[in-house]
């Protein structure tokens, strides 16, 4: 049979558990609501239809009194007619209406110690909850709703919606002492994870059609726990008088449940063959390696916590553990592939690694800019220099570079040493993770530059400390929550470049090669949130090792009085030989289960381009205007130097 995903749009009637639900078919199923039995409603001053009844008892709760209650039973030769959008609650006793009970609108609740001794008709867009018992035949019209937690002694014909699941694992009788017939417009729902031999027991014949929907269990807090691992058989129905016909289709709680219906002479089972996010996402033409890794980790968490085997004790769970398992149950209900990708991307936590990678790129970006500047600067006296604010775009975000101040010291034989200090503020949009990382950091650089007649060599080291605030969205399937953390990231880099100038095109061209290494040490962290999927992590180490090859072209113009102007343009190809991220984390709700945290695949190759104008007068002062492009990231800067 083809599998159909069934939708559920509950509408509670007043304060009871009943729902007014729309119609269904083999294409879309029935809309449904499945809350637990309500607490007994408060008594009212005047009960309807008390005393001797000489006509039909018509009850129509108003907005002023949305819940009415009958207590101590009733006996009448006439009918009970329920009208109005509110709820009628039958309390203790037997309520015998020889003329039948007709629920035309709203809801009817038959409480624990109540018996309705009457044939019952449930009209469209109305509902009845049976927690006690019914003695009589029940007819559920198309779009009508019957929530069975007790016993019906009589035949049941379901053309609408019949819920036969449990609440908080409580094994209500859910027994039909008679025949059960479901038409092609009907839907039967049962619990997929109940530990009981049968969900709906029928003493007579069960004649089947329409749909069957497997639901996840709920507890008193209206929230579910994850499904058990497979293979497993879900008991749907047992009929002493035999089973005839078949359901036209079935629905599961979400994408990640696979299986098939199995019919035996007196029983119907649903054989669950898979409850695996990884297998479903691997077979689907959506997502990528990062999505699949998060789905695999989701399955691993369920196995590690005992949720996959159903071996955990809900009463022994901590608050974080309870949140994690309830959140996992919501994820298991996802029935849309696009939503599944968004959810697993948000659970991946890769934004932590992506942000650190961006910080290393930002720190290292200073190296080629300073190297090109030193190569293009004429020899001269000692001098200080300053660079005006620049914006550097990287990894989906921007770094706002505050003014940079430096000092060069000219030594003998063309050697220059210097240092610089800068302050940067960064904002990174972590698109796939739905979050934002903001940082503030000072950066310090020291460098040595030696220029000969035709060649040069530059060595540089730098250090920065990022104070990072990361806020990301955890998407559980339409339910989004924020997770927030703060951590420090210390970044160190080393850079060496060497090149040789040659005459070309009226100027000079300088081919060069460079090697660079960067390292980031990120502090331990613990995300704050409410889902249980927030991350806690130890201190982590991130390293990149790479090399560049490229060339710069420079042309000079000079005027009287020592004025000069220089144009330079360059390009380089950057290749990463090694990129490692040693980061171990755990979910807040499962702190004993650690796993490696990976980011999106790092680009091993990238192209960089630069264009600059440098001008000044003699060696006493100089200015520069530069534009740098790295992959899809760009930076603009302006610098000024003064010699003395």
């Amino acid at each position: 049979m083809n599998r159909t995903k069934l939708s559920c749009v509950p509408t509670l009637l007043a304060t009871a558990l009943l729902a007014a639900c729309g119609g269904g078919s083999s294409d879309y199923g029935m809309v449904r609501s499945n809350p637990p039995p309500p607490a007994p409603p408060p008594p009212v001053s005047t009960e309807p239809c008390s005393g001797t009844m000489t006509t039909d008892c018509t009850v129509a709760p108003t907005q002023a009194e949305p819940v009415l209650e009958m207590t101590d039973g009733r006996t009448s030769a006439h009918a009970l007619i329920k009208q109005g959008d509110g709820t009628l609650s039958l309390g203790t006793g037997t309520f015998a209406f020889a003329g039948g009970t007709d629920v035309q609108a709203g809801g009817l609740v038959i409480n624990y110690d109540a018996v309705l001794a009457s044939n019952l008709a449930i009209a469209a867009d109305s509902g009845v909850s049976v927690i006690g018992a019914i003695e009589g035949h029940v007819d559920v019209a198309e779009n009508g709703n019957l929530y069975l937690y007790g016993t019906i002694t009589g035949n049941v014909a379901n053309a609408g919606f019949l819920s036969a699941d449990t609440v908080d694992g409580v094994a209500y009788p859910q027994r039909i002492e008679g025949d059960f017939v479901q038409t092609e417009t009907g839907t039967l729902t049962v619990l997929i994870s109940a530990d009981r031999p049968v969900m709906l027991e029928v003493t007579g014949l069960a004649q089947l059609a329409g749909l069957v929907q497997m639901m996840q269990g709920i507890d008193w807090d209206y929230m579910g726990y994850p499904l058990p691992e497979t293979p497993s058989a879900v008991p749907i129905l047992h009929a002493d008088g035999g089973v005839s016909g078949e359901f036209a289709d079935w629905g599961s709680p979400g994408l990640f449940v696979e299986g098939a219906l199995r019919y035996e002479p007196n029983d119907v089972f649903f054989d669950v063959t898979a409850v695996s996010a990884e297998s479903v996402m691997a077979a689907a033409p959506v997502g990528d390696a990062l999505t699949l890794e998060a789905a695999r980790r989701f399955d691993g968490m369920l196995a590690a916590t005992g949720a996959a085997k159903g071996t955990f004790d809900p009463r022994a769970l901590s608050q974080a553990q309870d949140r994690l398992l309830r959140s996992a149950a919501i994820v298991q209900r996802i029935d849309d592939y696009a939503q599944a990708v968004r959810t697993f991307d948000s659970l991946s936590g890769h934004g932590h690694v992506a942000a650190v990678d961006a910080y290393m790129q930002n720190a290292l970006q200073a190296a080629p800019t300073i190297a090109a500047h030193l190569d293009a600067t004429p020899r001269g006296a000692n001098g200080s220099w300053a660079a005006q604010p620049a914006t550097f775009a990287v990894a989906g975000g921007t770094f706002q570079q505050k003014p940079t101040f430096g000092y060069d010291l000219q030594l003998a034989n063309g050697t220059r040493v210097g240092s610089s200090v800068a302050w940067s503020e960064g904002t990174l949009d972590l698109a796939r993770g739905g979050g934002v990382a903001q940082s503030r950091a000072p950066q310090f650089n020291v460098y040595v530059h030696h220029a000969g007649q035709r060649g040069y060599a530059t060595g540089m080291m730098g250090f920065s400390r990022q104070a990072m605030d990361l806020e990301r969205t955890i998407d559980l399937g339409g339910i989004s929550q924020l997770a927030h953390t703060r951590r420090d990231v210390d970044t160190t880099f080393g850079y060496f470049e060497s090149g040789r100038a040659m005459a070309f095109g009226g100027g000079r061209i300088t081919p060069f090669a460079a090697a660079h290494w960067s390292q980031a040490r990120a502090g331990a962290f613990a995300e704050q949130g409410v889902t249980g999927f927030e991350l806690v992590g130890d201190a982590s180490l991130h390293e990149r090792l790479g090399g560049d090859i490229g060339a710069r072209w420079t042309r000079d113009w000079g005027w009287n009085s020592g004025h000069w102007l220089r144009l330079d343009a360059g390009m380089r190809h950057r290749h990463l030989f090694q990129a490692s991220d040693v980061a171990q984390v755990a979910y807040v709700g499962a702190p004993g289960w650690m796993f490696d945290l990976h980011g999106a695949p790092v680009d091993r190759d990238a192209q960089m381009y630069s264009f600059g104008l440098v001008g000044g007068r003699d060696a006493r002062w100089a200015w520069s205007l530069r534009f740098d492009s790295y992959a899809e990231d760009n930076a603009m800067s302006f610098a000024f130097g003064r010699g003395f």
Side-chain angles (χ1 to χ4, degrees):
M1 295 182 184
N2 295 326
R3 175 182 179 180
T4 299
K5 296 296 176 186
L6 305 182
S7 62
C8 171
V9 184
T11 303
L12 296 179
L13 301 180
T15 60
L17 78 161
L18 302 175
C21 295
S25 68
S26 60
D27 293 325
Y28 297 100
M30 305 292 291
V31 289
R32 72 183 303 278
S33 176
N34 188 25
V44 294
S45 58
T46 302
E47 291 192 3
C49 301
S50 58
T52 302
M53 288 177 282
T54 58
T55 61
D56 292 343
C57 174
T58 301
V59 182
T62 64
Q63 186 174 5
E65 290 183 313
V67 179
L68 297 178
E69 184 179 16
M70 289 185 182
T71 59
D72 299 329
R74 298 287 190 279
T75 300
S76 173
H78 302 282
L80 171 63
I81 301 174
K82 169 62 181 66
Q83 298 177 342
D85 293 335
T87 299
L88 172 63
S89 175
L90 303 183
T92 303
T94 299
F95 299 82
F97 293 89
T101 299
D102 188 6
V103 180
Q104 299 176 355
L108 173 66
V109 177
I110 304 168
N111 282 298
Y112 297 96
D113 296 325
V115 177
L116 177 64
S118 171
N119 292 335
L120 173 64
I122 305 172
D125 300 325
S126 63
V128 173
S129 175
V130 184
I131 308 170
I134 294 178
E135 295 178 355
H137 302 310
V138 178
D139 184 12
V140 185
E142 186 174 353
N143 295 343
N145 304 273
L146 173 61
Y147 298 86
L148 179 58
Y149 302 103
T151 301
I152 297 174
T153 302
N155 298 329
V156 175
N158 179 36
F161 170 84
L162 192 157
S163 171
D165 47 33
T166 64
V167 178
D168 199 25
V170 177
Y172 291 95
Q174 294 172 284
R175 179 180 175 90
I176 297 174
E177 295 182 355
D179 294 337
F180 171 63
V181 176
Q182 179 165 294
T183 69
E184 63 181 9
T185 62
T187 296
L188 171 68
T189 68
V190 297
L191 197 65
I192 199 172
S193 57
D195 184 15
R196 56 187 299 186
V198 64
M199 286 304 304
L200 178 61
E201 186 173 359
V202 180
T203 62
L205 171 69
Q207 183 177 331
L208 306 179
L211 306 174
V212 61
Q213 170 76 65
M214 271 64 68
M215 305 299 296
Q216 282 185 254
I218 60 175
D219 68 3
W220 292 114
D221 293 328
Y222 290 57
M223 294 292 289
Y225 287 117
L227 302 174
E229 68 178 357
T230 57
S232 61
V234 178
I236 293 177
L237 179 148
H238 171 82
D240 293 339
V243 174
S244 67
E246 294 184 353
F247 295 110
D249 213 338
W250 61 271
S252 74
L255 289 173
F256 310 124
V257 177
E258 300 291 338
L261 294 169
R262 173 166 52 92
Y263 297 89
E264 295 186 357
N266 298 92
D267 296 275
V268 180
F269 298 92
F270 179 70
D271 293 326
V272 183
T273 58
V275 184
S276 171
E278 179 186 3
S279 63
V280 171
M281 297 307 294
V286 294
D288 57 15
L290 194 67
T291 306
L292 187 60
E293 181 185 24
R296 183 184 305 113
R297 188 185 306 152
F298 179 83
D299 291 343
M301 179 275 296
L302 295 180
T305 57
K309 294 182 179 295
T311 57
F312 65 94
D313 181 359
R315 296 168 297 182
L317 297 175
S318 68
Q319 185 181 55
Q321 291 170 329
D322 187 73
R323 287 175 174 175
L324 176 67
L325 294 182
R326 294 182 190 280
S327 298
I330 297 173
V331 173
Q332 284 186 331
R333 294 188 181 103
I334 294 174
D335 59 2
D336 176 76
Y337 284 112
Q339 178 60 63
V341 171
R342 290 192 294 270
T343 293
F344 288 123
D345 282 354
S346 77
L347 297 182
S348 70
H350 84 281
H352 286 275
V353 177
V356 173
D357 180 70
Y359 296 153
M360 288 191 287
Q361 289 186 43
N362 178 55
L364 188 60
Q365 181 64 17
T369 302
I370 293 177
H373 171 71
L374 291 173
D375 179 50
T377 300
R379 299 182 187 183
N382 304 335
S384 60
W385 57 274
Q388 296 302 309
T391 298
F392 175 52
V394 62
T398 60
F399 285 96
Q400 183 68 35
Q401 190 78 32
K402 300 302 181 180
T404 301
F405 300 95
Y407 182 81
D408 292 344
L409 180 62
Q410 184 74 44
L411 303 180
N413 301 322
T415 301
R416 176 176 295 194
V417 297
S419 63
S420 66
V421 60
W423 177 268
S424 66
E425 294 182 359
T427 299
L428 297 173
D429 292 323
L430 308 172
R432 290 187 63 178
V436 174
Q438 294 182 321
S439 64
R440 300 156 303 282
Q443 178 163 335
F444 308 93
N445 303 306
V446 294
Y447 48 87
V448 177
H449 178 74
H450 178 78
Q453 291 298 320
R454 302 183 63 86
Y456 73 94
T458 301
M460 187 182 310
M461 292 190 66
F463 173 81
S464 68
R465 163 161 284 193
Q466 301 280 347
M468 180 181 75
D469 289 300
L470 191 150
E471 186 175 82
R472 65 188 183 94
T473 300
I474 297 178
D475 187 341
L476 298 179
I479 302 175
S480 298
Q481 299 289 344
L482 291 178
H484 176 267
T485 188
R486 172 173 289 185
R487 64 194 303 203
D488 291 332
V489 181
D490 293 339
T491 303
T492 306
F493 75 89
Y495 181 90
F496 178 80
E497 178 179 309
S498 179
R500 183 176 179 83
M502 297 176 289
F504 180 82
R508 60 191 179 104
I509 189 168
T510 307
F512 63 87
H516 45 81
W517 163 85
S518 58
Q519 180 187 86
R521 294 183 178 272
F525 70 96
E527 290 184 326
Q528 303 298 312
V530 297
T531 69
F533 277 108
E534 291 76 30
L535 297 175
V536 292
D538 296 331
S540 57
L541 179 66
H542 310 261
E543 291 185 303
R544 306 286 186 265
L545 177 65
D548 299 351
I549 57 172
R552 283 188 295 271
W553 179 77
T554 305
R555 183 167 181 177
D556 297 316
W557 292 271
W559 295 273
N560 295 331
S561 303
H563 291 281
W564 55 272
L565 179 67
R566 174 170 295 159
L567 169 68
D568 68 80
M571 64 172 295
R572 68 175 64 211
H573 176 83
R574 172 163 292 176
H575 177 75
L576 286 180
F577 299 104
Q578 179 183 350
S580 64
D581 299 289
V582 182
Q584 277 206 321
V585 298
Y587 294 127
V588 170
W593 183 65
M594 303 290 291
F595 55 87
D596 292 334
L597 182 62
H598 298 134
V602 177
D603 290 333
R604 296 283 181 164
D605 293 276
Q607 305 295 326
M608 300 181 67
Y609 304 92
S610 63
F611 179 84
L613 286 173
V614 183
R617 181 177 180 183
D618 301 324
R620 288 176 292 178
W621 60 270
W623 58 266
S624 68
L625 178 65
R626 296 192 57 79
F627 173 80
D628 294 278
S629 175
Y630 174 70
E632 298 179 355
D633 307 320
N634 304 301
M636 181 74 73
S637 62
F638 175 76
F640 176 80
R642 172 68 178 175
F644 58 88

